[in-house]
Amino acid sequence: MSEKFDCIVVGAGPAGISCAHELAKGGAKVLLLERGEYPGSKNVMGGVLYRKMMEDIVPEFYKEAPLERPVVEQRFMMMDKESAVTFGYKGMEWAKEPYNNFTVLRAKFDQWFASKAVEQGAVLVNETVVLECIVEDGKVVGVKTDRPNGEVYADVVVLADGVNSLLAQSLGFHKEYQPDEVALATMEVLKLDKKIIEDRFNLEENQGCTIELFGDATKGILGTGFLYTNKDSLSIGVGTLLSGLIKHKIKPYELLEYVKNHPMIRPYIQGSESQEYLAHLIPEGGFKSMGRIVGNGVIVIGDASQLVNAIHREGSNLAMTSGRYAAETILLAKQAGDFSENMLDTYRMRLMSGFVGQDMQKYKDSTHHFNKFPQYFDEYIPMLNKAASQMFTVDGMSKWEKQKKIWSDLGSGKEKMKLARDMYRAWKVIK
């Protein structure tokens, strides 16, 4: 720990491992610090890994990585208390190499991914907490850890320490995030026989399905639930804004139990056995909550820089791309012998000009909008379910009469105008 490195990466999640892997592959001397017992021990995500961004780092990784199932179907449930309007897409092109995405268990996958970085030459040190950045003359030159004589130095420090990045905050890069900028996700892994999973989800062997849950799954609070198929287990979870949990006085584990017992979900998980329970904070503030991500001798990546696309439920792919861009920038800086903010700003420019920055800007108003107008979840989704029930119930009433009743149930002319206005506003923030 007393030697100097080209780079210290704090946090062995998807972003940090990606950065360390690419740095080591490029010949840099890199130290990867992880506070958990091993990479993945403290990391939680819904469980979907996108192939393209991972393959940019480890080509054909899917031939050896500990993946669960390639996803061939993505479903979406707009849920009321005893019903759901369901739609989605299933494509057999996703069942063939190189695939589209996979379900994963982070405890397994992150350990494997970190081992690939170590193979490239990165030094991985687990069970190490970084207490603060060492700053000299306005430049970050290293970190102080909780180990004896735990000061370690580097030309660049990369902060990949998650949404609650106290290190970035201590440097003045961002303010303390508010409850409406952070979501709390709770997830449970449920053991279930492989054949039962395939029968219940209409899958063939080695095929996976994801189901995203909206509306009653979060009791009308802004957020989503999910149910993903693994090899011989299911990942079920729910994530909502902290502000919503506080306002409605709901405990996260209560919301997860509610989802598990929902009549639309209960048949999928019947007979399963709980294996693991996890909870994790997720950045939801989006583009407007992003603080500084570059300074003299320091770069911020992944969740620590609020890189999550809440509308499309994407995070790990943005994190891995940010880690790769950071590594490529540091290698350029190493070649030039310049680790100033001006030089490292190449990372920010690449990030913002690529798909990560473009998607972050595209949906910059989405979380704020849907949080400000909760009727999308607690009024309009139940309204959609009621209309579907009326239309598809065969009771001797003509379809013309049913359409008139559905139209009447939308309320007065003023209420219909409000609905139309809200739909237009929603289209504006996600178009």
Side-chain angles (χ1 to χ4, degrees), residues 104-116:
V104 297
L105 295 171
R106 287 286 299 274
K108 296 179 182 178
F109 181 81
D110 284 13
Q111 286 187 81
W112 173 85
F113 192 16
S115 74
K116 303 304 287 185

Side-chain angles (χ1 to χ4, degrees), residues 277-305:
Y277 184 89
L278 309 150
H280 186 61
L281 290 174
I282 300 173
E284 293 282 345
F287 182 78
K288 290 186 175 180
S289 294
M290 289 181 68
R292 286 177 60 194
I293 57 175
V294 176
N296 289 314
V298 62
I299 289 177
V300 188
I301 63 176
D303 281 6
S305 53

Side-chain angles (χ1 to χ4, degrees), residues 122-165:
V123 177
L124 171 64
V125 180
N126 296 312
E127 299 180 287
T128 301
V129 177
V130 175
L131 303 174
E132 60 182 338
C133 292
I134 301 172
V135 181
E136 295 179 359
D137 299 323
K139 178 182 183 297
V140 175
V141 297
V143 297
K144 182 178 180 181
T145 73
D146 62 347
R147 288 176 173 267
N149 302 314
E151 292 188 353
V152 56
Y153 294 85
D155 292 317
V156 181
V157 173
V158 174
L159 304 181
D161 51 333
V163 55
N164 192 26
S165 180

Side-chain angles (χ1 to χ4, degrees), residues 4-61:
K4 183 181 177 183
F5 292 83
D6 293 318
C7 181
I8 299 168
V9 180
V10 182
I17 299 172
S18 298
C19 184
H21 182 280
E22 295 300 277
L23 281 169
K25 187 171 71 173
K29 189 176 180 182
V30 55
L31 174 65
L32 178 60
L33 297 176
E34 166 57 33
R35 66 188 177 95
E37 183 181 352
Y38 53 84
S41 64
K42 293 185 176 295
N43 294 327
V44 180
M45 68 183 184
V48 172
L49 178 77
Y50 295 90
R51 187 266 311 170
K52 174 63 172 65
M53 294 73 193
M54 181 65 203
E55 196 168 30
D56 286 340
I57 299 163
V58 182
E60 298 188 332
F61 70 95

Side-chain angles (χ1 to χ4, degrees), residues 186-370:
T186 53
M187 181 181 110
E188 196 169 0
V189 179
L190 305 173
K191 185 174 180 57
L192 192 62
D193 181 77
K194 179 173 182 281
K195 187 66 170 62
I196 293 176
I197 291 173
E198 290 161 0
D199 289 343
R200 287 184 184 175
F201 290 82
N202 190 29
L203 299 169
E204 295 182 7
E205 188 175 3
N206 198 37
Q207 291 182 358
C209 174
T210 65
I211 306 178
E212 310 291 343
L213 315 172
F214 301 89
D216 194 57
T218 59
K219 294 191 175 182
I221 302 172
L222 179 59
T224 59
F226 58 86
L227 179 61
Y228 300 156
T229 59
N230 303 316
K231 285 180 179 177
D232 56 3
S233 67
L234 301 173
S235 294
I236 186 168
V238 60
T240 57
L241 286 183
L242 276 177
S243 57
L245 293 173
I246 294 169
K247 178 181 178 181
H248 294 271
K249 298 179 180 179
I250 298 176
K251 295 180 175 62
Y253 67 85
E254 293 175 342
L255 199 54
L256 179 57
E257 285 302 311
Y258 181 77
V259 173
K260 289 168 61 180
N261 287 288
H262 195 283
M264 298 296 104
I265 301 302
R266 191 170 57 242
Y268 286 110
I269 67 173
Q270 187 175 3
S272 62
E273 179 185 342
S274 180
Q275 276 191 313
E276 191 174 9
Y277 184 89
L278 309 150
H280 186 61
L281 290 174
I282 300 173
E284 293 282 345
F287 182 78
K288 290 186 175 180
S289 294
M290 289 181 68
R292 286 177 60 194
I293 57 175
V294 176
N296 289 314
V298 62
I299 289 177
V300 188
I301 63 176
D303 281 6
S305 53
Q306 285 276 331
L307 295 182
V308 168
N309 179 348
I311 292 294
H312 290 270
R313 303 158 311 283
E314 296 178 16
S316 62
N317 55 331
L318 278 64
M320 290 185 290
T321 300
S322 71
R324 181 166 61 86
Y325 286 169
E328 291 168 356
T329 298
I330 293 166
L331 290 173
L332 288 173
K334 182 174 182 289
Q335 186 176 4
D338 179 4
F339 303 98
S340 66
E341 179 177 350
N342 186 58
M343 180 66 190
L344 297 180
D345 197 52
T346 303
Y347 158 72
R348 183 192 61 81
M349 292 188 290
R350 287 198 64 188
L351 195 71
M352 290 298 104
S353 63
F355 87 93
V356 176
Q358 290 176 20
D359 284 356
M360 293 291 289
Q361 292 182 67
K362 174 179 172 65
Y363 300 113
K364 66 182 185 296
D365 297 317
S366 60
T367 298
H368 173 74
H369 176 79
F370 291 114

